[in-house]
Amino acid sequence: MVIVNDRDRVDWREGLTVQGLLDAMGYSYNLITVTVNGELIPEEEYGSAPVPDEARVTVFHLAHGG
Amino acid sequence: MSGEDPIFARNVPGSTAILAAATVGIAGCGGLGSNAAVALVRAGVGRLILVDQDVVEASNLNRQYFFRRDLGRLKVEALADHLRAINPGVALELHALALRAEEVPRVYAGAALLIEAFDRADAKRWLIEAWCRAFPERTVICASGLSGLGRTEALRVRRAGRIILCGDEQSEASEGLCAARVAIVAAMEANLAIEALVAAATAGS
């Protein structure tokens, strides 16, 4: 089990990556910043960065404006 | 020095000397960065590193900490004048440049933490990545979703590791920007920075 944004529970599977998790959750918005257990995952590593079982994942949405 | 300065006489006891010794980096001096910088200087932060390539335009005056007489001036220079008018003793490092990821380690070398105050979401993302890569131990305080009107209750803070993000994470600049809502989020960023600086100094003492 992976917990996303302290709220959503997603089933864990062997070989789960950040991209796999985002796909499983139906994320299509691409301006996001993702951490796994508090560590930032750069965008180019979404396809390779593993998400361990019991991980706490945060997906921040980045909106224009400042 | 700042501990003696009468402008800080009403400060929270114990905070003034800590903040006077601190350096905060700010990326972008628009609606978020200019208002956050003012809050930090009023709080007594001793040194700021300010980065922005733009000049002040009339359309900035609906939310940014500038005045009509600033029109056409570099934002970092106009803002520096306003900050020194509050506290002449504040140390300011000004960079009138279009920041690139590879310059983050050099430009912000002396900053204990960063306030991300960019306008574009894609720029926010590469800045967060560049900061985390350059400074694995340092906090970055970001803003996302501060546009439109009202909806004060939607403005919140979320944390993950060294990343702190405030805003509603939804509203887009295309909705338009209002001084009150932008300034709330700018003040949230400044407030989080002050909290982090005081907490770090207290933990280390």
Side-chain angles (χ1 to χ4, degrees):
Chain A
M1 186 74 74
V2 175
I3 299 176
V4 181
N5 290 341
D6 295 321
R7 184 189 61 214
D8 300 319
R9 292 166 189 277
V10 179
D11 286 333
W12 181 82
R13 64 171 191 277
E14 193 70 39
L16 183 65
T17 62
V18 168
Q19 189 59 55
L21 178 67
L22 295 173
D23 292 344
M25 297 190 68
Y27 267 97
S28 54
Y29 188 69
N30 67 354
L31 285 168
I32 56 175
T33 283
V34 178
T35 66
V36 175
N37 292 328
E39 290 298 316
L40 178 78
I41 308 299
E43 186 192 12
E44 64 268 22
E45 295 175 18
Y46 287 179
S48 58
V51 179
D53 196 10
E54 307 293 328
R56 298 189 78 90
V57 176
T58 300
V59 181
F60 292 118
H61 282 237
L62 300 177
H64 297 295
Chain B
M1 178 209 92
S2 300
E4 309 292 319
D5 194 316
I7 72 172
F8 302 121
R10 296 290 303 275
N11 270 15
V12 175
S15 67
T16 305
I18 292 168
L19 296 175
T23 299
V24 172
I26 300 183
C29 295
L32 291 166
S34 65
N35 286 297
V38 168
L40 292 172
V41 169
R42 289 195 195 281
V45 170
R47 186 164 175 267
L48 297 180
I49 300 170
L50 304 175
V51 180
D52 197 302
Q53 65 173 324
D54 291 334
V55 297
V56 180
E57 299 176 17
S59 64
N60 301 148
L61 299 187
N62 79 330
R63 67 192 187 284
Q64 305 184 18
Y65 204 96
F66 298 108
F67 304 91
R68 285 205 169 270
R69 65 176 183 272
D70 298 325
L71 295 178
R73 296 186 67 198
L74 281 167
K75 287 184 177 180
V76 290
E77 293 184 354
L79 181 58
D81 283 352
H82 305 325
L83 299 174
R84 291 186 180 116
I86 295 166
N87 177 11
V90 69
L92 301 173
E93 187 179 318
L94 309 180
H95 297 271
L97 56 80
L99 187 68
R100 290 175 297 137
E102 56 268 33
E103 294 167 329
V104 166
R106 173 181 65 82
V107 169
Y108 292 111
L113 56 78
L114 179 71
I115 290 184
E116 177 281 308
F118 279 169
D119 185 31
R120 293 183 52 86
D122 50 336
K124 291 172 184 288
R125 180 164 64 186
W126 68 246
L127 177 62
I128 295 166
E129 292 189 1
W131 178 267
C132 289
R133 192 176 296 123
F135 306 115
E137 305 296 324
R138 303 187 199 171
T139 295
V140 55
I141 300 169
C142 316
S144 168
L146 43 95
S147 304
L149 302 175
R151 289 174 292 137
T152 309
E153 298 89 337
L155 301 172
R156 61 180 182 178
V157 178
R158 293 207 297 145
R159 302 167 194 256
R162 298 174 298 114
I163 302 170
I164 307 176
L165 186 136
C166 38
D168 62 35
E169 293 186 52
Q170 285 191 335
S171 59
E172 290 281 353
S174 57
E175 298 175 35
L177 294 150
C178 170
R181 202 162 197 265
V182 173
I184 288 171
V185 177
M188 287 170 78
E189 290 194 283
N191 202 38
L192 288 157
I194 291 162
E195 180 180 37
L197 292 168
V198 172
T202 306
S205 64

